[in-house]
Amino acid sequence: MAVTESSPPVHSAPQAAAPPEPAADGAVFGPHEWLVLITLCCATFMCGLDFSIVTVALPDIGSALGFSSAGTLQWVATASLLPSASLLPLFARVADLIGRKRLFTLGVAVFTLFSLGAALANSPGMLIAARIGQGTAAAMIAPSAIALMTGYFQEGPGRARALGLNGAVMSLGFVFGALGGGVITNGFSWRWTMVALCVMGALALAGALALPAIHESGAARRMDVPGAILATLGLFGLVYGISTGGDEGWTQPAALGPIVGGLVLLVVFLLVERRHPEPLVPLSVLNRPSVKWSGLFGVVTFGMCAGTTVLLSLYMQDVLGFTALQAGLSYLGEGAAATLGGMYVARLLGRFGGVKVLAAGLLIQGVGTVAMFALPQDVNLAALLVTSSVMGLGHVFSVVSFITVMTTGVTEEDQGVVGGLSQLPQYVAAIGVSGLSAIAAARTNALSSGAAPSPADILGGLHAGMVTAGVVALVGALLVGVVLRKRTTV
C-alpha cells in the first residue's frame, strides 16, 4: 500500500512511521488496508444504494408529499443525477487542488447531512433541494474515492483486488437498493430509506476521519474556471437531454436542445483546454488510448447493463405480474454473481491483463443479455436468474477491468482527474436506459398495431431491447481487441 504520513504538500515536516506494507504478492491486506478498503467501499455502496433505493420508493414519496404529477416526481431521482454527472470533472480537479482525502471526507459529510435533510423533508421543494445536495456530494465522493484507491494501493494484485471488491460492492448497492427500498417502504416509510443512507454516511465518515495520511504531490495550483464552467454546463445539458429524451421524445426541443447545446459546449471546452496552462482535464491525459477507449467501453457496459436492468424490471412486473418486492428478490442472482466476480476478477487481471479481461467481460455480458430473448411469457425463474446472473458477472468484470486499464500508469498529479473520468461513464450511460426503452416501446407499438398492447406485445418489445443491448456489448468486446490491444500494455 503506497501510503506515507506527511504534512500538506506545501510544507515539509518529519514523516511518521508508515503503516505496514501488504504482502509482497499484494494478495493479503493488513489492518490499514482493510480500513481504507472498507471505508471506500462503504461510500461506493452508499452512492449506488442512493439511486435505486429512491427509485423504488418514488410512488410512496409522491403520495406522501403531494407531488403534482409523475413528471414532477421524477425530479426526485433526476435532481441527484444531474449534479453527480455534471460536477464530476470539476471535483476531480478540486481533489488534486485541496487533496483527495480532504475532498472525500467533505463529500461524505455533506452527503450524510443532506440525507438527514431528505429524511426530514415535508414538501416537494425541500426534498428536491436535499436530493441536489446528495448529488453534489456524490460528485465529490466518486472521483476522490477512486483516486484514493489508486493512491493507497500500488499497481498490481493488491489494487486489482481492491478494485474488484469495490466493483462488486457498487453492483450490490444497486441490487440491494431495489430490494431494500421495497422492504423498507412497505414495512415502514419512505423516510427510512433516507435514514438508511444517513447511517451509511455516518459509518463512512467515521472511517474517512481514521484513514491514514497519504502523500499527495499538490502539483495543481490553479483552477481552470472557464473549463470548469463549460464542462459543468455541457455535461448538465447532455445528461438532462438524455434523461428526458425517453419521455419527451428525442426530436422534441426539451430533449434535443439540451443535448445539442451540451455537445457544443463540450467541444468548446476541448478547445479551451488546449490553451489553458493548467487545464481542468489535460488533453494529454484525455488523448491516452487507455483513458479514452476504456472510458468508451465503460459507457457501453454501464449503459447496456442499466438499460437491460430497467427492461427486466418491466418484464417482471408488466409481463410476469411480480410485485416490486418479488422483482427486487429476483435481482439477488445478479447480486450474487457480482459478488463472486468481484472476488475473483483480481486473479484474472493478474493472469491475463486488463484488456483481455475487459473483452471477456463484455463478451460474457453480451451473451447473458442476448440470451434473454428466450425469457418466456410465463414465469421461469431458472431462465431469469441464469441470464441476469451471467449479465451481472460480465458487467462486474467489465467495470473493474476498464477502471484498471484507465488508471494504470497515471501520474500522481492526475489521479484525481482520471478518477473522475473513470466514474463519468455510469452517468453518461443514461443514454442506454433511454435508448433501449425507446427501442422496446417502438417494437411494442409495432406489434400491437395501435391497439392496447398485450403481454405478448410487451414481451416482444422487451426482447428487442434486450437483444440490442447484448449485440452492442458483443460489438464492444470485439472492438476492445482492435483499439486497445495494440495501443496499451495493460
Side-chain angles (χ1 to χ4, degrees), residues 173-186:
F174 286 102
V175 171
F176 279 98
L179 176 59
V183 173
I184 293 173
T185 301
N186 290 334

Side-chain angles (χ1 to χ4, degrees), residues 125-353:
M126 288 183 62
L127 180 59
I128 289 175
R131 294 291 293 158
I132 292 173
Q134 287 177 305
T136 302
M140 300 180 191
I141 295 169
S144 54
I146 290 296
L148 284 172
M149 189 86 67
T150 58
Y152 279 117
F153 297 92
Q154 296 176 342
E155 289 183 16
R159 180 185 293 182
R161 185 184 179 200
L163 288 173
L165 292 173
N166 188 70
V169 165
M170 182 189 300
S171 297
L172 284 174
F174 286 102
V175 171
F176 279 98
L179 176 59
V183 173
I184 293 173
T185 301
N186 290 334
F188 301 96
S189 162
W190 69 267
R191 296 184 186 276
W192 285 97
T193 62
M194 296 295 104
V195 173
L197 293 174
C198 192
V199 172
M200 292 290 298
L203 293 174
L205 181 59
L209 294 172
L211 287 177
I214 182 171
H215 174 71
E216 301 184 64
S217 67
R221 294 282 180 247
R222 298 171 54 190
M223 172 56 70
D224 173 13
V225 176
I229 294 173
L230 289 167
T232 299
L233 293 179
L235 286 170
F236 185 94
L238 184 63
V239 175
Y240 176 82
I242 290 171
S243 299
T244 58
D247 296 326
E248 300 289 339
W250 295 99
T251 59
Q252 295 300 312
L256 187 60
I259 291 175
V260 173
L263 291 174
V264 169
L265 289 173
L266 291 176
V267 170
V268 176
F269 164 74
L270 294 176
L271 295 175
V272 169
E273 296 301 90
R274 296 177 62 181
R275 297 171 179 253
H276 199 280
E278 290 195 35
L280 190 74
V281 180
L283 295 187
S284 59
V285 173
L286 195 59
N287 286 329
R288 290 183 59 180
S290 59
V291 171
K292 63 182 179 182
W293 288 115
S294 56
L296 174 62
F297 296 125
V299 172
V300 170
T301 185
F302 273 117
M304 296 306 100
C305 185
T308 304
T309 300
V310 170
L311 297 184
L312 279 175
S313 178
L314 295 174
Y315 168 70
M316 288 185 283
Q317 296 186 60
D318 294 347
V319 177
L320 300 184
F322 282 10
T323 65
L325 181 57
Q326 288 174 321
L329 288 170
S330 299
Y331 285 122
L332 288 178
E334 185 178 339
T339 304
L340 186 66
M343 292 171 59
Y344 287 97
V345 68
R347 298 183 185 181
L348 298 175
L349 289 169
R351 181 172 181 179
F352 299 106

Side-chain angles (χ1 to χ4, degrees), residues 5-7 12-16:
E5 299 283 347
S6 65
S7 57
S12 61
Q15 292 187 349

Side-chain angles (χ1 to χ4, degrees), residues 294 297 300-301 349 352-367 394-395 397-402 405 472-485 490:
S294 56
F297 296 125
V300 170
T301 185
L349 289 169
F352 299 106
V355 173
K356 290 182 179 179
V357 176
L358 176 56
L362 287 171
L363 176 64
I364 295 170
Q365 179 179 332
V367 169
H395 177 60
F397 285 171
S398 301
V399 169
V400 175
S401 54
F402 102 75
V405 173
V472 171
L474 292 174
V475 170
L478 293 175
L479 289 177
V480 169
V482 175
V483 301
L484 276 180
R485 193 168 187 178
V490 178

Side-chain angles (χ1 to χ4, degrees), residues 20-114:
E21 294 292 327
D25 62 359
V28 179
F29 293 155
H32 289 88
E33 288 86 356
W34 278 114
L35 171 63
V36 170
L37 188 59
I38 291 172
T39 299
L40 298 181
C41 285
C42 182
T44 297
F45 183 83
M46 175 179 69
C47 291
L49 192 72
D50 176 41
F51 184 78
S52 57
I53 201 172
V54 169
T55 301
V56 173
L58 281 180
D60 289 84
I61 292 174
S63 59
L65 295 184
F67 277 82
S68 59
S69 66
T72 306
L73 179 60
Q74 190 58 37
W75 273 99
V76 176
T78 306
S80 175
L81 173 65
L82 288 176
S84 296
S86 57
L87 294 174
L88 264 177
L90 171 62
F91 283 121
R93 202 49 168 172
V94 170
D96 293 326
L97 284 166
I98 71 172
R100 289 162 267 164
K101 183 182 173 185
R102 286 193 186 98
L103 183 63
F104 176 78
T105 305
L106 176 63
V108 172
V110 171
F111 188 95
T112 305
L113 179 64
F114 277 104

